[in-house]
Amino acid sequence: MAAAGGVVHISEIEKYKGDIDVLILCGGSATDLPEQGPELAALFNTVDSFDTHAKIPEYFEKVNEAATKAGTVSVISTGWDPGLFSLNRLLAEAVLPEGKEYTFWGKGVSQGHSDAIRRVAGVKDGKQYTIPVEAAVERVRKGENPELTTREKHLRECYVVAEAGADLAKIEHEIKTMPNYFSDYDTTVHFISEEELKANHSTMPHGGMVLRSGRTGKDSTQLIEFGLKLDSNPEFTASVLVAYARAVYKLSQAGESGAKTVFDIPFGLLSPKSPEQLRKELL
Amino acid sequence: MAAAGGVVHISEIEKYKGDIDVLILCGGSATDLPEQGPELAALFNTVDSFDTHAKIPEYFEKVNEAATKAGTVSVISTGWDPGLFSLNRLLAEAVLPEGKEYTFWGKGVSQGHSDAIRRVAGVKDGKQYTIPVEAAVERVRKGENPELTTREKHLRECYVVAEAGADLAKIEHEIKTMPNYFSDYDTTVHFISEEELKANHSTMPHGGMVLRSGRTGKDSTQLIEFGLKLDSNPEFTASVLVAYARAVYKLSQAGESGAKTVFDIPFGLLSPKSPEQLRKELL
């Protein structure tokens, strides 16, 4: 194993075959993981946070083929969404089949939307917050099972640093009318100084909630809610990956192989505690 | 199998060996399940909601021995606490090891405390609600990780129907000072009529939440919260048992045997959907 804190170039990774219990893949979902995931699963047990929801089935098949052939275990697409939110969607649907599920994201920084702002002409820097509409969340909590449009579920709040002399009205209009990213939402644009952006908008908070309201018996409304409030999205995602790395190691030791998702992993494997201890202390 | 809606005496149950996929045991934890659990696990796949937390390890061993010998699968102690709350305690501890966990119950009817009220001389009928102290919940949500006493976490609210001519002050004093049940809590006693009790306090709502606030990195507070708001505690518990019955059946078909808890069951097995469908629709 590399010395603690040592950094090794990925081109040398094959040398470490047999020395690493589980590789935690931190590459991006757009171009890194589609290649790295299957390649590294052929050499090591892996955990990743591949999060392009629509491409998960295809990615699963590729990693599964490599891992099955190599006798390794790979947990794909973990983190909080996909990951803990997915688990709660499944659990709530299995327990309350007659119901409706709602996922709200935020308040938090969306990287994709922040990037979109920064591509607008005249914008020097910017951050975008996704914010759940509190009134919509309350309607779901009351068991109303409302039909909610995109606009009714989330607000988008933008903090923008403009280039000197830029046309602020034009920037604001361009952001608010941007298709896919902002036009379907109530969007607010705040122009601030570079110093303000640095001082107040440099961390990566996020969070959100998965709610399901369902009916049982004649007329009982039952609500299941799972929520996260995160000061640091990347640190929390990393913490989830580490918990799943424990499970990967245990499954590998038990002789399993292939790709898995959070749906395939019993929670007991996430903990360093023994099954006896878990039953005694946490059940 | 018995005809839909048919009722069969438990003494005849052995006749149904081989005809029943999974038995859902609905007996009580005090005296029914300690006997019925192991006995029935020797004949059938079972699911139960054994909820005497301190005796779970012993109960697990007995059911496990019977089920292993018989080649059956038994999920014990499921429902919401133990059950879904336990799962969230484990998950949150595995992801945020440096943190503190809080479980709040209510607002809901506590059967044990309602029984205790009804045993007081001069009381004709009564219902007790356990209520989380909102200020305590808010401190946890803010990431303060407070040390909370029993009194600071929950309130107890009692609705009492007194016998004609009973000494109300004496009843109130006796309830409020009852050790274990009420003396450690801020307890409110409301005297109401039998009609009012029937009209406003005859359902079995319950709920509660599991929160864990933890630290990651240098100074990031991360909060995980799972909550339930249930119009009917028994109907929701039954819904969880049915979901776990699906898992028991699948595990049994896969050739597994022995006692299991919620910690041993991957969520994928709770759903009637296939693994492919779950990855596509819910991940």
Side-chain angles (χ1 to χ4, degrees), chain A:
Chain A
M1 241 187 169
V7 175
V8 173
H9 194 270
I10 197 168
S11 60
E12 299 181 48
I13 201 155
E14 221 166 320
K15 292 187 198 161
Y16 295 90
K17 193 164 145 64
D19 292 335
I20 292 172
D21 294 329
V22 184
L23 269 190
I24 299 182
L25 312 187
C26 303
S29 299
T31 55
D32 299 331
L33 290 174
E35 282 188 24
Q36 293 173 0
E39 268 178 40
L40 294 170
L43 297 166
F44 302 98
N45 297 317
T46 67
V47 179
D48 72 50
S49 56
F50 182 82
D51 68 356
T52 313
H53 290 260
K55 293 189 175 170
I56 286 174
E58 178 192 337
Y59 182 67
F60 178 89
E61 292 306 331
K62 283 188 181 150
V63 174
N64 189 46
E65 195 189 327
T68 304
K69 206 188 265 180
T72 58
V73 175
S74 292
V75 168
I76 68 155
S77 302
T78 187
W80 60 274
D81 196 0
L84 308 194
F85 274 21
S86 324
L87 283 166
N88 278 279
R89 283 190 281 265
L90 192 167
L91 176 69
E93 182 186 273
V95 171
L96 298 174
E98 292 178 29
K100 203 162 150 51
E101 180 263 323
Y102 299 84
T103 300
F104 291 93
W105 292 276
K107 183 181 177 177
V109 173
S110 163
Q111 283 291 89
H113 290 79
S114 298
D115 286 348
I117 290 173
R118 289 190 289 257
R119 282 193 299 266
V120 172
V123 169
K124 197 171 176 193
D125 205 350
K127 272 276 172 84
Q128 193 267 182
Y129 295 91
T130 306
I131 305 172
V133 176
E134 201 50 47
V137 177
E138 283 314 313
R139 288 184 66 194
V140 174
R141 285 203 182 117
K142 276 189 196 140
E144 288 183 25
N145 281 2
E147 292 293 335
L148 297 169
T149 62
T150 300
R151 191 178 298 275
E152 286 170 326
K153 286 185 75 183
H154 296 94
L155 303 172
R156 299 204 175 274
E157 199 161 37
C158 309
Y159 290 86
V160 178
V161 180
E163 308 273 8
D167 181 343
L168 302 190
K170 190 165 171 276
I171 290 175
E172 179 166 347
H173 177 78
E174 215 168 302
I175 291 174
K176 287 186 171 179
T177 56
M178 200 185 293
N180 301 318
Y181 286 91
F182 294 104
S183 63
D184 294 337
Y185 298 85
D186 287 339
T187 301
T188 320
V189 177
H190 307 275
F191 289 97
I192 59 172
S193 70
E194 204 161 3
E195 294 68 42
E196 270 185 277
L197 189 79
K198 212 173 218 169
N200 304 327
H201 304 283
S202 61
T203 60
M204 295 283 284
H206 219 312
M209 54 212 122
V210 175
L211 300 112
R212 188 177 182 94
S213 159
R215 292 259 156 164
T216 60
K218 268 191 200 151
D219 197 26
S220 308
T221 299
Q222 317 272 25
L223 182 77
I224 304 179
E225 176 168 350
F226 179 79
L228 297 172
K229 221 176 83 192
L230 310 175
D231 272 359
S232 167
N233 181 0
E235 289 176 15
F236 187 79
T237 301
S239 301
V240 176
L241 266 69
V242 168
Y244 278 91
R246 286 191 204 106
V248 165
Y249 177 72
K250 291 181 201 170
L251 287 171
S252 173
Q253 291 295 106
E256 297 226 20
S257 67
K260 318 268 177 197
T261 74
V262 292
F263 298 155
D264 307 309
I265 311 286
F267 280 18
L269 297 179
L270 305 177
S271 172
K273 295 182 177 174
S274 71
E276 293 74 19
Q277 208 180 348
L278 291 174
R279 285 194 292 269
K280 197 169 185 298
E281 294 175 10
L282 292 174
L283 200 62

Side-chain angles (χ1 to χ4, degrees), chain B residues 16-33:
Chain B
Y16 295 89
K17 193 165 145 64
D19 292 335
I20 292 172
D21 293 329
V22 184
L23 268 190
I24 299 182
L25 311 188
C26 303
S29 298
T31 54
D32 299 331
L33 290 173

